[in-house]
Amino acid sequence: MKVWDDLVGQEPAVAVLTKAVAGAEAGMRGESGAAVAGMTHAWLITGPPGSGRSNAGRAFAAALQCKNNQGCGECNECRTALSGAHPDVSLIRTELLSIRVSEIRELVRRAAMSPTQGRWQVMVVEDADRLTEQAADALLKSIEEPAPRTVWVLCAPTVEDVVPTIRSRCRLLVLRTPPVEAVADMLTGKLGVDPELAGFAARAAQGHIGRARALARDEEVRDRRTKVLEVPFALRDLGACLKAAQQLVEAAKVEAKASAEKVDEKERAALEQALGVGTKGAKPREANAALKELEDQQKTRAKRWERDVLDRSLVDLMALYRDILMIQTRAGAELINAELRSNIEQLAGRTTPEQTIRRIDAIAACREAIETNVAPLLALEAMTIGLFEG
């Protein structure tokens, strides 16, 4: 198994990265010229959600450390790099709304060190779009004047999500939305999913690998998606619009809370153990402050997860109206929600393409409002009314 195997449908990007690894190898042997030209000290990997940005960064880091064959996936270097256990591969990501300057300063400090075991010191920032302004400033000098044998790999949804001073100093690698067929093949080949279910999950996920896995494996995930897609067919009056918005918000809170509870308790227990809480003797003076900081971080993360759940629901709704528009315009494109074709055709027959476009715009406006911290319920109420009146 190669380290690149998890990059579903990203053959062009893999070709670029493998060439860069070959260039790095040539450079270490003292060669120069075209073979080394593909390698650089700073990379910016972009792509839509679920396309595999983080996987690409980790795979690249593993391939650079691999001593066998540019990412064999079997050696100790590959396995530890992919898991985050390699001493010369630093992986930073956040479940919060931003990456703080203190985290980047620590990463910059490590980046200045020579590799201890591997060939390179590789710094992978999985959420470069969440760098605060101060964190970006702290990172800039290290990217401008990198230490020898240090490679920075930044990941973000789009190039515009990264500040210009940093992105201008990185080589850009853009991942594409994985083709439905490639995602379905991955589900059947690697996970043993039934081909019909794999096809459904691949279509419904719209190129998001993690979402496709969840839809294929978990019936509850499929049920939640079905309830979201029932919303447009239930909007019969103003009261129904307000009720639908409330249900979407409550469902997102329940799902986000369930996910948070799985990690919050473990994090608190680990911190209490590290602080000596519950042991004999006086409680460390900093314990209360540290626990309070953890609680604040967990609340922030829960809000982000709730927002992410809502956004996923809105993407599913937008796909439904996209299907309606395909029917209305006889575009001939495959439906994302082919299993709902009968209902989609009925709704398409009762409305016009212009109305459908206005409804898609209402969903897009709702996504933008939630992203800018408008109260989710207010944003969703405005959207459902727009779907009803549009």
Side-chain angles (χ1 to χ4, degrees), residues 10 45 60 63 66-67 105 127 144 147 241 268 277 281 284 288 291 320 330 334 350 374 377 384:
Q10 302 296 347
I45 301 177
F60 187 38
C66 180
K67 295 180 179 179
R105 284 175 178 159
D127 301 292
E144 284 182 321
C241 293
R268 185 178 180 89
V277 175
N288 287 335
L291 290 171
L320 182 70
R330 298 189 176 99
E334 182 181 8
R350 297 199 301 265
V374 172
L377 183 57
T384 53

Side-chain angles (χ1 to χ4, degrees), residues 179-238:
V180 170
E181 296 78 9
V183 177
D185 289 345
M186 179 274 294
L187 294 174
T188 55
K190 290 190 175 182
L191 304 182
V193 177
D194 175 79
E196 184 176 350
L197 178 57
F200 157 77
R203 279 187 289 102
Q206 302 177 64
H208 193 300
I209 304 298
R211 178 69 168 160
R213 286 196 179 102
L215 286 166
R217 287 172 162 174
D218 194 333
E219 187 175 357
E220 288 187 7
V221 174
R222 297 195 292 273
D223 289 343
R224 285 196 293 266
R225 180 177 179 275
T226 297
K227 290 179 180 178
V228 170
L229 295 181
E230 290 173 352
V231 167
F233 305 101
L235 302 179
R236 298 182 178 88
D237 52 40
L238 181 60

Side-chain angles (χ1 to χ4, degrees), residues 322-342:
R322 172 264 186 199
D323 286 347
I324 291 172
L325 190 61
M326 292 302 101
I327 295 293
Q328 290 173 329
T329 58
R330 298 189 176 99
E334 182 181 8
L335 298 186
I336 293 171
N337 301 282
E339 69 282 357
L340 298 176
R341 175 176 284 274
S342 177

Side-chain angles (χ1 to χ4, degrees), residues 345-366:
E345 289 178 342
Q346 290 180 25
L347 193 53
R350 297 199 301 265
T351 59
T352 66
E354 291 76 16
Q355 288 176 307
T356 302
I357 291 172
R358 286 198 295 271
R359 286 164 178 160
I360 291 174
D361 288 343
I363 299 172
C366 182

